[in-house]
Coordinates of all heavy atoms in Angstrom, one line a residue:
M104 N -2.1 -3.4 5.6 CA -3.1 -2.8 6.6 C -4.4 -2.9 5.9 O -4.7 -2.4 4.8 CB -2.7 -1.3 6.9 CG -3.6 -0.7 8.0 SD -2.9 0.9 8.5 CE -3.9 1.2 9.9
R105 N -5.4 -3.5 6.6 CA -6.7 -3.7 6.1 C -7.6 -2.5 6.3 O -7.5 -1.8 7.4 CB -7.4 -4.9 6.7 CG -6.8 -6.2 6.3 CD -7.3 -7.3 7.1 NE -8.8 -7.4 7.0 CZ -9.5 -8.0 6.0 NH1 -8.8 -8.6 5.1 NH2 -10.8 -8.0 6.0
P106 N -8.4 -2.1 5.4 CA -9.4 -1.1 5.6 C -10.5 -1.6 6.6 O -10.7 -2.8 6.7 CB -10.0 -0.8 4.3 CG -9.8 -2.1 3.5 CD -8.5 -2.7 4.0
T107 N -11.1 -0.7 7.3 CA -12.1 -1.1 8.3 C -13.5 -1.1 7.8 O -14.4 -1.6 8.4 CB -12.0 -0.2 9.6 OG1 -12.2 1.1 9.2 CG2 -10.7 -0.4 10.3
V108 N -13.7 -0.4 6.7 CA -15.0 -0.3 6.1 C -14.9 -0.7 4.6 O -13.9 -0.4 4.0 CB -15.7 1.0 6.2 CG1 -16.0 1.3 7.7 CG2 -14.9 2.1 5.6
C109 N -16.0 -1.2 4.0 CA -16.0 -1.5 2.6 C -15.9 -0.3 1.7 O -16.7 0.7 2.0 CB -17.2 -2.4 2.3 SG -17.4 -2.7 0.5
Y110 N -15.0 -0.3 0.8 CA -14.9 0.9 -0.1 C -16.1 1.0 -1.0 O -16.4 2.1 -1.6 CB -13.7 0.8 -0.9 CG -13.6 -0.3 -2.0 CD1 -14.1 0.0 -3.2 CD2 -13.2 -1.5 -1.6 CE1 -14.1 -1.0 -4.2 CE2 -13.2 -2.5 -2.6 CZ -13.6 -2.3 -3.8 OH -13.6 -3.3 -4.8
S111 N -16.9 -0.1 -1.2 CA -18.0 -0.1 -2.1 C -19.3 0.3 -1.5 O -20.0 1.1 -2.0 CB -18.1 -1.5 -2.8 OG -19.2 -1.5 -3.7
C112 N -19.6 -0.3 -0.3 CA -20.9 -0.1 0.3 C -20.8 0.5 1.7 O -21.8 1.0 2.2 CB -21.7 -1.4 0.4 SG -21.1 -2.6 1.6
G113 N -19.6 0.6 2.2 CA -19.4 1.3 3.5 C -19.7 0.4 4.7 O -19.7 0.9 5.8
A114 N -20.0 -0.9 4.5 CA -20.2 -1.8 5.6 C -19.0 -2.1 6.4 O -17.9 -2.0 5.9 CB -20.8 -3.1 5.1
D115 N -19.2 -2.3 7.7 CA -18.0 -2.6 8.6 C -17.5 -4.0 8.1 O -18.3 -5.0 8.0 CB -18.5 -2.7 10.0 CG -18.8 -1.3 10.6 OD1 -18.2 -0.3 10.0 OD2 -19.6 -1.2 11.5
L116 N -16.2 -4.1 8.0 CA -15.6 -5.3 7.5 C -15.2 -6.2 8.7 O -14.7 -5.7 9.7 CB -14.4 -5.0 6.6 CG -14.7 -4.3 5.3 CD1 -13.4 -3.9 4.6 CD2 -15.6 -5.2 4.4
E117 N -15.3 -7.5 8.5 CA -14.8 -8.4 9.5 C -13.3 -8.5 9.4 O -12.7 -8.1 8.4 CB -15.5 -9.8 9.3 CG -17.0 -9.7 9.4 CD -17.6 -11.1 9.1 OE1 -16.8 -12.0 8.7 OE2 -18.8 -11.2 9.2
E118 N -12.7 -9.0 10.4 CA -11.2 -9.1 10.5 C -10.7 -10.1 9.5 O -9.5 -10.0 9.1 CB -10.7 -9.4 11.9 CG -11.0 -8.3 12.9 CD -10.4 -8.6 14.2 OE1 -9.7 -9.6 14.3 OE2 -10.6 -7.8 15.1
T119 N -11.5 -11.1 9.1 CA -11.0 -12.0 8.1 C -12.0 -12.1 7.0 O -13.1 -11.6 7.0 CB -10.9 -13.4 8.8 OG1 -12.2 -13.8 9.2 CG2 -10.0 -13.5 9.9
G120 N -11.5 -12.6 5.9 CA -12.3 -12.7 4.7 C -11.8 -11.8 3.6 O -11.4 -10.7 3.9
E121 N -11.9 -12.3 2.4 CA -11.4 -11.5 1.2 C -12.5 -10.8 0.5 O -12.3 -10.1 -0.5 CB -10.7 -12.5 0.3 CG -9.5 -13.1 0.9 CD -8.8 -14.0 -0.1 OE1 -9.4 -14.3 -1.2 OE2 -7.7 -14.6 0.2
H122 N -13.8 -10.9 1.0 CA -14.9 -10.3 0.3 C -15.8 -9.6 1.4 O -15.9 -10.1 2.5 CB -15.7 -11.3 -0.5 CG -14.9 -11.9 -1.6 ND1 -14.8 -11.4 -2.8 CD2 -14.3 -13.1 -1.6 CE1 -14.0 -12.2 -3.6 NE2 -13.7 -13.2 -2.8
C123 N -16.4 -8.5 1.0 CA -17.4 -7.8 1.8 C -18.6 -8.8 2.1 O -19.1 -9.3 1.1 CB -17.8 -6.5 1.2 SG -19.1 -5.7 2.1
H124 N -19.0 -8.9 3.3 CA -20.1 -9.8 3.6 C -21.5 -9.2 3.2 O -22.4 -9.9 3.1 CB -20.2 -10.1 5.1 CG -20.4 -8.8 6.0 ND1 -21.6 -8.3 6.2 CD2 -19.5 -8.0 6.6 CE1 -21.5 -7.2 6.9 NE2 -20.2 -7.0 7.2
R125 N -21.5 -7.9 2.8 CA -22.8 -7.3 2.4 C -22.9 -7.3 0.9 O -23.9 -7.8 0.3 CB -22.9 -5.9 2.9 CG -24.2 -5.3 2.5 CD -24.3 -3.8 2.8 NE -24.5 -3.5 4.3 CZ -24.5 -2.3 4.8 NH1 -24.3 -1.3 4.0 NH2 -24.6 -2.1 6.1
C126 N -21.9 -6.7 0.2 CA -22.0 -6.5 -1.2 C -21.1 -7.5 -2.0 O -21.2 -7.6 -3.2 CB -21.7 -5.1 -1.6 SG -20.0 -4.6 -1.4
G127 N -20.1 -8.1 -1.3 CA -19.3 -9.1 -2.0 C -18.1 -8.5 -2.7 O -17.4 -9.2 -3.4
A128 N -17.8 -7.2 -2.5 CA -16.7 -6.6 -3.1 C -15.4 -7.2 -2.5 O -15.4 -7.5 -1.4 CB -16.7 -5.0 -2.9
V129 N -14.4 -7.2 -3.4 CA -13.1 -7.8 -2.9 C -12.5 -6.8 -1.9 O -12.4 -5.6 -2.2 CB -12.2 -8.1 -4.1 CG1 -10.8 -8.5 -3.6 CG2 -12.8 -9.1 -5.0
V130 N -12.0 -7.3 -0.8 CA -11.4 -6.4 0.2 C -9.9 -6.4 -0.1 O -9.2 -7.5 0.0 CB -11.7 -6.9 1.6 CG1 -10.9 -6.1 2.6 CG2 -13.2 -6.9 1.9
P131 N -9.3 -5.3 -0.3 CA -7.8 -5.2 -0.4 C -7.1 -5.6 0.9 O -7.4 -4.9 1.9 CB -7.5 -3.8 -0.9 CG -8.7 -3.0 -0.4 CD -9.9 -4.0 -0.5
T132 N -6.3 -6.6 0.9 CA -5.8 -7.1 2.2 C -4.5 -6.4 2.5 O -4.0 -6.5 3.6 CB -5.5 -8.6 2.1 OG1 -4.7 -8.9 0.9 CG2 -6.9 -9.4 1.9
N133 N -3.8 -5.8 1.6 CA -2.5 -5.2 1.9 C -2.4 -3.9 1.1 O -2.1 -3.9 -0.1 CB -1.4 -6.1 1.6 CG -0.1 -5.6 2.0 OD1 0.0 -4.6 2.8 ND2 1.0 -6.1 1.5
I134 N -2.6 -2.7 1.7 CA -2.4 -1.5 1.1 C -1.2 -0.8 1.6 O -1.1 -0.4 2.8 CB -3.6 -0.5 1.4 CG1 -4.9 -1.2 0.9 CG2 -3.4 0.8 0.7 CD1 -6.2 -0.4 1.2
P135 N -0.1 -0.7 0.8 CA 1.1 -0.1 1.3 C 0.9 1.4 1.5 O 0.3 2.0 0.7 CB 2.1 -0.4 0.2 CG 1.3 -0.6 -1.0 CD 0.0 -1.2 -0.5
N136 N 1.5 1.9 2.5 CA 1.4 3.4 2.8 C 0.0 3.9 2.8 O -0.3 4.8 2.1 CB 2.3 4.1 1.8 CG 3.8 3.8 1.9 OD1 4.2 3.5 3.0 ND2 4.4 3.7 0.8
Y137 N -0.8 3.2 3.6 CA -2.2 3.7 3.7 C -2.2 5.1 4.2 O -1.6 5.4 5.2 CB -2.9 2.8 4.7 CG -4.4 2.8 4.6 CD1 -5.1 2.3 3.5 CD2 -5.2 3.3 5.7 CE1 -6.4 2.4 3.4 CE2 -6.5 3.4 5.6 CZ -7.2 2.9 4.5 OH -8.6 2.9 4.4
P138 N -2.9 6.0 3.4 CA -2.8 7.4 3.7 C -3.5 7.9 5.0 O -4.5 8.5 4.9 CB -3.4 8.0 2.4 CG -4.4 7.0 2.0 CD -3.7 5.7 2.3
R139 N -2.9 7.5 6.1 CA -3.4 8.0 7.4 C -2.2 8.3 8.3 O -1.2 7.7 8.1 CB -4.3 7.0 8.1 CG -5.7 7.1 7.6 CD -6.7 6.1 8.2 NE -6.1 5.4 9.4 CZ -6.8 4.4 9.9 NH1 -8.0 4.0 9.5 NH2 -6.3 3.7 11.0
F140 N -2.4 9.3 9.2 CA -1.3 9.7 10.0 C -0.8 8.5 10.8 O 0.4 8.4 11.1 CB -1.7 10.8 10.9 CG -0.6 11.3 11.8 CD1 0.4 12.1 11.3 CD2 -0.6 11.0 13.1 CE1 1.4 12.6 12.1 CE2 0.4 11.5 13.9 CZ 1.4 12.3 13.4
G141 N -1.7 7.7 11.3 CA -1.2 6.5 12.1 C -0.3 5.6 11.4 O 0.6 5.0 12.0
G142 N -0.5 5.5 10.1 CA 0.3 4.5 9.3 C 1.7 5.1 9.1 O 2.7 4.3 9.1
G143 N 1.8 6.4 8.8 CA 3.1 7.0 8.6 C 3.8 7.7 9.7 O 4.8 8.3 9.6
G144 N 3.2 7.5 10.9 CA 3.7 8.2 12.1 C 5.1 7.8 12.4 O 5.9 8.7 12.8
F145 N 5.4 6.6 12.3 CA 6.8 6.1 12.6 C 7.8 6.8 11.7 O 8.8 7.3 12.2 CB 6.8 4.6 12.5 CG 8.2 4.0 12.8 CD1 8.6 4.0 14.1 CD2 9.0 3.6 11.8 CE1 9.9 3.5 14.5 CE2 10.3 3.1 12.1 CZ 10.7 3.0 13.5
I146 N 7.5 6.8 10.4 CA 8.5 7.4 9.5 C 8.6 8.9 9.8 O 9.7 9.5 9.7 CB 8.0 7.2 8.0 CG1 7.9 5.7 7.8 CG2 9.0 7.9 7.0 CD1 9.2 5.0 7.9
V147 N 7.5 9.6 10.1 CA 7.5 11.0 10.4 C 8.4 11.2 11.6 O 9.2 12.2 11.7 CB 6.1 11.5 10.6 CG1 6.1 13.0 11.2 CG2 5.3 11.5 9.3
T148 N 8.2 10.4 12.6 CA 9.0 10.5 13.9 C 10.5 10.4 13.6 O 11.3 11.1 14.1 CB 8.6 9.4 14.9 OG1 7.2 9.6 15.1 CG2 9.4 9.6 16.2
I149 N 10.9 9.4 12.7 CA 12.3 9.2 12.4 C 12.8 10.4 11.7 O 13.9 10.9 11.9 CB 12.4 8.0 11.5 CG1 12.0 6.7 12.3 CG2 13.8 7.9 10.9 CD1 13.0 6.4 13.4
W150 N 12.0 11.0 10.8 CA 12.4 12.2 10.0 C 12.6 13.4 11.0 O 13.6 14.1 10.9 CB 11.4 12.6 8.9 CG 11.8 12.0 7.6 CD1 11.2 11.0 7.0 CD2 12.9 12.4 6.8 NE1 11.8 10.7 5.8 CE2 12.8 11.6 5.6 CE3 13.8 13.4 6.9 CZ2 13.8 11.8 4.6 CZ3 14.7 13.6 5.8 CH2 14.7 12.8 4.7
I151 N 11.7 13.6 11.9 CA 11.8 14.7 12.9 C 13.1 14.5 13.7 O 13.9 15.4 13.9 CB 10.6 14.7 13.8 CG1 9.4 15.2 12.9 CG2 10.8 15.7 14.9 CD1 8.1 15.2 13.7
L152 N 13.4 13.3 14.2 CA 14.6 13.0 15.0 C 15.8 13.3 14.1 O 16.8 13.9 14.6 CB 14.6 11.6 15.5 CG 13.6 11.2 16.6 CD1 13.6 9.7 16.9 CD2 14.0 12.0 17.8
F153 N 15.8 12.9 12.9 CA 16.9 13.1 12.0 C 17.2 14.6 11.8 O 18.3 15.1 11.9 CB 16.6 12.4 10.7 CG 17.7 12.7 9.6 CD1 18.9 12.1 9.7 CD2 17.5 13.6 8.6 CE1 19.9 12.3 8.7 CE2 18.4 13.9 7.6 CZ 19.7 13.2 7.7
L154 N 16.1 15.4 11.6 CA 16.2 16.8 11.4 C 16.7 17.5 12.6 O 17.5 18.4 12.6 CB 14.9 17.4 10.9 CG 14.4 17.0 9.5 CD1 13.0 17.6 9.2 CD2 15.4 17.4 8.5
V155 N 16.2 17.0 13.8 CA 16.7 17.6 15.1 C 18.2 17.3 15.2 O 19.0 18.2 15.6 CB 15.9 17.1 16.2 CG1 16.5 17.4 17.6 CG2 14.5 17.6 16.2
L156 N 18.6 16.1 14.9 CA 20.0 15.8 15.1 C 20.9 16.6 14.1 O 21.9 17.1 14.5 CB 20.2 14.3 14.8 CG 19.8 13.3 15.9 CD1 20.0 11.9 15.4 CD2 20.7 13.5 17.1
V157 N 20.4 16.8 12.9 CA 21.2 17.7 12.0 C 21.2 19.1 12.5 O 22.3 19.7 12.4 CB 20.5 17.6 10.6 CG1 21.1 18.7 9.7 CG2 20.7 16.2 10.0
A158 N 20.1 19.6 13.0 CA 20.1 21.0 13.5 C 21.0 21.1 14.7 O 21.8 22.1 14.8 CB 18.7 21.3 14.0
V159 N 21.1 20.2 15.6 CA 22.0 20.2 16.7 C 23.4 20.2 16.3 O 24.3 20.9 16.8 CB 21.7 19.1 17.7 CG1 22.7 19.0 18.8 CG2 20.3 19.3 18.4
Y160 N 23.7 19.3 15.3 CA 25.0 19.2 14.8 C 25.5 20.5 14.1 O 26.6 21.0 14.4 CB 25.1 18.1 13.8 CG 26.4 17.9 13.1 CD1 27.4 17.2 13.8 CD2 26.7 18.4 11.8 CE1 28.7 17.1 13.2 CE2 27.9 18.3 11.2 CZ 28.9 17.6 11.9 OH 30.1 17.5 11.3
V161 N 24.6 21.1 13.3 CA 24.9 22.4 12.7 C 25.2 23.5 13.7 O 26.1 24.3 13.6 CB 23.8 22.8 11.7 CG1 24.0 24.2 11.2 CG2 23.8 21.8 10.5
I162 N 24.3 23.6 14.7 CA 24.4 24.6 15.7 C 25.7 24.4 16.5 O 26.5 25.4 16.7 CB 23.2 24.6 16.7 CG1 21.9 25.0 15.9 CG2 23.4 25.4 17.9 CD1 20.7 24.8 16.7
S163 N 26.0 23.2 16.9 CA 27.3 23.0 17.6 C 28.5 23.2 16.7 O 29.5 23.7 17.2 CB 27.3 21.5 18.1 OG 27.4 20.6 17.0
W164 N 28.4 23.0 15.4 CA 29.5 23.2 14.5 C 29.7 24.7 14.3 O 30.9 25.2 14.3 CB 29.2 22.6 13.2 CG 30.3 22.7 12.2 CD1 31.5 22.0 12.1 CD2 30.3 23.6 11.0 NE1 32.2 22.4 11.1 CE2 31.5 23.4 10.4 CE3 29.4 24.5 10.5 CZ2 31.9 24.1 9.2 CZ3 29.8 25.3 9.4 CH2 31.0 25.0 8.8
I165 N 28.6 25.5 14.3 CA 28.7 26.9 14.1 C 29.3 27.6 15.4 O 30.2 28.4 15.3 CB 27.3 27.6 13.8 CG1 26.9 27.1 12.4 CG2 27.4 29.1 13.9 CD1 25.5 27.6 12.1
S166 N 28.8 27.1 16.6 CA 29.3 27.7 17.8 C 30.7 27.2 18.2 O 31.2 27.7 19.2 CB 28.3 27.4 18.9 OG 28.2 26.0 19.1
M167 N 31.2 26.3 17.5 CA 32.5 25.7 17.8 C 33.6 26.7 17.5 O 34.7 26.8 18.2 CB 32.8 24.4 17.1 CG 34.0 23.7 17.5 SD 34.3 22.2 16.5 CE 32.8 21.3 16.9
D168 N 33.4 27.6 16.5 CA 34.5 28.5 16.1 C 34.7 29.6 17.1 O 33.8 30.3 17.5 CB 34.1 29.1 14.7 CG 35.2 29.8 14.1 OD1 36.3 29.9 14.8 OD2 35.1 30.3 13.0
Ligands
LIG441 ZN1 -19.5 -3.9 0.7

């Protein structure tokens, strides 16, 4: 996931290119787990679904007796 602004000078980055067009700083082209909610939203959704499934299973198991 590419950053949208230069980390060095704050200029808006173009969609292509490995360097900032203003200051020449190297643009990181692949940042794993970019710390934003949009990046990890899918994993969070999976975790919430998993926890809900576990809760439903536990509740049904308790009420089964
Ligand atoms: Zn820059």
